[in-house]
């Protein structure tokens, strides 16, 4: 992988407030990465620092080995070869789609503009809409035009700040998947900032989960879900509950669901109390299982039903059953734990 963008231990401040701290990351050419975290964790500030709108007070930002930012120096945004896509689309209302897309292009003929707009409208799935005005487009279509505009000057890097937040939930996920396909088809490198893990999962090859200005885990969507590095990531990503347990040997844990064989060897002292992350997909419905749990809540999700189940000890777990396994509240169902996926934290 050729590294395109590198953040070396950057820090950004607003007065005394440290908005981004010790943030390092490498983005390879053609990578689609996301910064994901709750509101106020510093995602936008990090993106704005990359774009050249915020200075760094320590560390450095490099693109292709060239320093863009370091303390006391900030290459202006227009010299960074980056395209931005914002939450509010930021299209010019008085320009048609074609002119919006070509707005940032300089020194080209009208004919060349038309060709570029037509090609990019094809890429973003809006062929034929050159003459429309922004108010004649849906939110999703406007955001596709904004993406086409960002792609037009062939930037080294595309930066997207909560680009799907103004769309309804279904559209958000669909467009994230489409945008991923579009960016991959163009060989683009992009950074998406979002608080929505579904968007991040749909779009990103790699995701940095942020809290209080720092990246807590930089990983693939699969690993963030199945191998969260700490309690914050485990809580923030996906659904699940924590059950208390006790370490019997380096990889066996006594829990209220029985003794489980962990997939890792833990170097905590024997007898240490631990917390076990149990995801809905770790609890498997099995009528023949000895362990019974009572249905106390159910949420229909289409292909699946999310059950909240009470164990004999009183603890609750979540479990996804196929939708045709339709049990009533109060019913006792057989469950077993799919131990391969269970992750423990020291409590
Ligand atoms: P996020 O994008 O994750 O929501 P931000 O990067 O916008 O987070 O903000 C990080 C922190 O910096 C927050 O505490 C926020 O209140 C603060 N902040 C953001 N912008 C400014 C600003 N222009 N002036 C002062 N504080 C700011």
């Amino acid at each position: 992988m050729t590294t395109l963008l590198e953040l070396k231990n950057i820090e950004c401040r607003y007065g005394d407030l440290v908005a981004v701290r010790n943030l390092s990351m490498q983005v390879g050419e053609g990578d689609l990465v996301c910064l994901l975290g709750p509101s106020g964790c510093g995602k936008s500030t990090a993106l704005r620092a990359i774009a050249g709108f915020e200075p760094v007070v320590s560390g450095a930002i490099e693109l292709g080995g060239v320093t863009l930012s370091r303390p006391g120096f900030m290459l202006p945004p227009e010299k960074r070869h980056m395209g931005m896509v914002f939450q509010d689309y930021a299209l010019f209302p008085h320009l048609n789609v074609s002119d919006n897309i070509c707005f940032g292009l300089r020194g080209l003929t009208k004919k060349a503009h038309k060709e570029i707009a037509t090609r990019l409208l094809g890429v973003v799935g809006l062929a034929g809409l050159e003459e429309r005005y922004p108010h004649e487009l849906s939110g999703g279509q406007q955001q596709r035009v904004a993406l086409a505009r960002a792609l037009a000057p062939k930037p080294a890097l595309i930066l997207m700040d909560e680009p799907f937040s103004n769309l309804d939930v279904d559209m958000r996920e669909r467009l994230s998947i489409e945008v991923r396909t579009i960016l991959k088809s163009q060989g683009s490198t992009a950074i998406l900032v979002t608080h929505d893990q579904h968007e991040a999962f749909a779009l990103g090859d790699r995701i940095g989960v942020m809290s209080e200005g720092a990246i807590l885990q930089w990983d693939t969507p699969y690993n963030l879900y199945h191998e969260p590095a700490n309690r914050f990531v485990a809580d923030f990503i996906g659904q699940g509950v924590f059950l208390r347990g006790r370490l019997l040997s380096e990889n066996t844990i006594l829990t209220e669901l029985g003794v489980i064989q962990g997939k890792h060897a833990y170097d905590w002292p024997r007898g240490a109390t631990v917390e076990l992350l149990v995801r809905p997909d770790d609890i498997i419905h099995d009528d023949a299982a000895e362990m019974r749990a009572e249905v106390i809540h159910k949420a229909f999700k289409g292909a699946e039903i999310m059950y909240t189940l009470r164990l004999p000890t009183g603890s609750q777990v979540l479990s996804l059953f196929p939708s045709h396994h339709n049990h009533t509240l109060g019913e006792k169902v057989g469950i077993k734990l799919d131990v391969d996926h269970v992750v423990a934290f020291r409590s």
Side-chain angles (χ1 to χ4, degrees):
M1 175 190 92
T2 318
T3 300
L4 179 68
L5 178 81
E6 184 162 9
L7 270 56
K8 294 180 165 169
N9 224 6
I10 67 162
E11 181 173 309
C12 302
R13 286 171 177 260
Y14 299 105
D16 287 341
L17 182 116
V18 181
V20 170
R21 66 185 76 227
N22 298 334
L23 196 142
S24 295
M25 66 182 203
Q26 290 187 345
V27 181
E29 250 178 87
D31 276 353
L32 304 181
V33 306
C34 301
L35 292 176
L36 169 69
S39 175
C41 73
K43 313 178 288 292
S44 296
T45 303
L47 200 75
R48 290 170 55 76
I50 295 167
F53 297 116
E54 295 292 341
V56 300
V57 293
S58 68
I61 299 174
E62 294 178 1
L63 186 78
V66 176
T67 302
L68 302 182
S69 296
R70 58 180 151 69
F73 171 76
M74 184 161 70
L75 192 73
E78 64 277 11
K79 299 213 165 129
R80 294 190 172 209
H81 308 292
M82 295 180 189
M84 294 274 304
V85 179
F86 301 95
Q87 178 176 346
D88 59 4
Y89 322 135
L91 297 178
F92 300 108
H94 58 288
L95 296 183
N96 68 18
V97 163
S98 193
D99 291 339
N100 262 289
I101 291 175
C102 296
F103 184 81
L105 302 178
R106 297 277 172 268
L108 295 175
T109 62
K110 253 189 140 81
K111 183 161 168 279
H113 277 193
K114 191 163 183 312
E115 279 169 15
I116 289 168
T118 301
R119 185 182 75 77
L120 286 171
L121 281 172
V123 168
V124 299
L126 295 179
L129 299 191
E130 285 88 342
E131 306 296 324
R132 292 261 188 105
Y133 281 84
H135 73 271
E136 297 171 317
L137 301 173
S138 71
Q141 289 173 324
Q142 289 187 49
Q143 200 53 304
R144 275 177 246 227
V145 173
L147 178 62
R149 181 178 60 186
L151 288 168
K154 299 203 162 98
L157 191 60
I158 299 268
L159 305 177
M160 297 183 285
D161 194 351
E162 302 270 2
F164 312 117
S165 298
N166 284 345
L167 304 169
D168 63 51
V169 176
D170 282 352
M171 188 64 187
R172 251 184 242 174
E173 209 170 331
R174 223 173 50 215
L175 198 58
S176 333
I177 296 168
E178 271 184 46
V179 166
R180 178 185 168 83
T181 310
I182 293 166
L183 292 171
K184 285 284 178 194
S185 77
Q186 303 301 297
S188 305
T189 311
I191 304 178
L192 167 83
V193 154
T194 179
H195 64 279
D196 182 328
Q197 55 183 288
H198 300 292
E199 270 174 39
F201 282 5
L203 197 131
D205 299 313
R206 280 188 179 270
I207 298 171
V209 178
M210 287 186 68
S211 170
E212 297 180 1
I215 289 183
L216 298 190
Q217 188 171 355
W218 177 251
D219 222 325
T220 59
Y222 184 92
N223 282 351
L224 290 175
Y225 186 80
H226 289 294
E227 299 272 354
N230 50 56
R231 274 289 305 248
F232 180 87
V233 175
D235 259 335
F236 189 72
I237 300 285
Q239 285 181 294
V241 297
F242 291 94
L243 293 180
R244 282 175 83 77
R246 198 153 54 78
L247 198 65
L248 297 180
S249 74
E250 60 177 13
N251 63 354
T252 50
I253 299 170
L254 176 63
T255 76
E256 53 199 271
L257 291 163
V259 174
I260 67 149
Q261 187 86 26
K263 63 173 166 175
H264 296 299
Y266 298 103
D267 56 6
W268 307 317
R270 302 295 136 86
T273 52
V274 299
E275 284 185 285
L276 220 60
L277 170 63
V278 182
R279 300 281 197 202
D281 39 329
D282 296 334
I283 301 280
I284 296 170
H285 181 211
D286 178 1
D287 280 328
E290 236 169 73
M291 167 88 56
R292 315 300 284 179
E294 183 187 342
V295 175
I296 57 172
H297 187 260
K298 59 194 277 198
F300 187 69
K301 305 241 175 230
E304 287 156 326
I305 299 175
M306 178 76 84
Y307 283 96
T308 307
L309 304 171
R310 183 160 36 221
L311 302 174
T313 51
S315 302
Q316 293 181 9
V317 290
L318 298 169
S319 181
L320 274 178
F321 290 11
S323 190
H324 49 271
H325 292 232
N326 195 11
H327 298 280
T328 51
L329 297 187
E331 202 180 326
K332 298 256 171 55
V333 294
I335 56 163
K336 62 181 192 198
L337 188 63
D338 179 1
V339 291
D340 280 357
H341 288 117
V342 180
V343 177
F345 297 99
R346 182 84 194 269
S347 55

